[in-house]
Amino acid sequence: MKPFEYSTPTEMVINESGNLQEFYRLANVLSKTRHVHLMRKEDDADVLEWHYKYRGDALSLQYSIYNGVILLFKGKDKKTADKIAVRLRELQ
């Protein structure tokens, strides 16, 4: 990484009023999606965050009691993140 070169994740709200059941349902859909691999899980009292790899890029599905269900994408191609977010929003 070059100096002053930062990469911030793209945050896309899937459902602001999403609940825990919806998070698990969307996580199941992501797990069955081609080229998506679950890397690790972080389960806290008020936040669940599951980290995936999608074609070499980092992807996280997050549930918070404050923010609902959120998709975080840390990669170069933002169009890919938009496609995944649209697909997840359609499943609601």
Side-chain angles (χ1 to χ4, degrees):
M1 182 185 277
K2 297 177 183 177
F4 304 110
E5 183 180 301
Y6 298 103
S7 177
T8 58
T10 302
E11 182 177 308
M12 290 166 262
V13 177
I14 303 300
N15 188 349
E16 286 183 15
S17 60
N19 58 20
L20 195 57
Q21 288 178 333
E22 183 176 350
F23 171 82
Y24 284 123
R25 187 174 58 80
L26 294 175
N28 188 30
V29 169
L30 274 179
S31 297
K32 291 181 180 179
T33 303
R34 201 171 169 191
H35 303 293
V36 175
H37 304 285
L38 180 65
M39 304 304 286
R40 62 188 163 94
K41 299 178 184 181
E42 294 178 20
D43 298 339
D44 291 330
D46 57 351
V47 176
L48 295 175
E49 191 167 346
W50 290 14
H51 302 277
Y52 296 90
K53 235 357 162 188
Y54 179 71
R55 296 183 184 237
D57 293 323
L59 178 72
S60 297
L61 187 66
Q62 182 183 59
Y63 167 73
S64 168
I65 59 175
Y66 308 108
N67 299 324
V69 180
I70 297 172
L71 183 71
L72 300 168
F73 181 79
K74 190 171 184 179
K76 297 176 184 174
D77 188 14
K78 304 296 186 222
K79 291 179 186 177
T80 303
D82 289 335
K83 288 179 188 177
I84 295 170
V86 167
R87 181 174 177 211
L88 292 176
R89 284 184 189 127
E90 289 174 351
L91 295 173
Q92 295 181 33

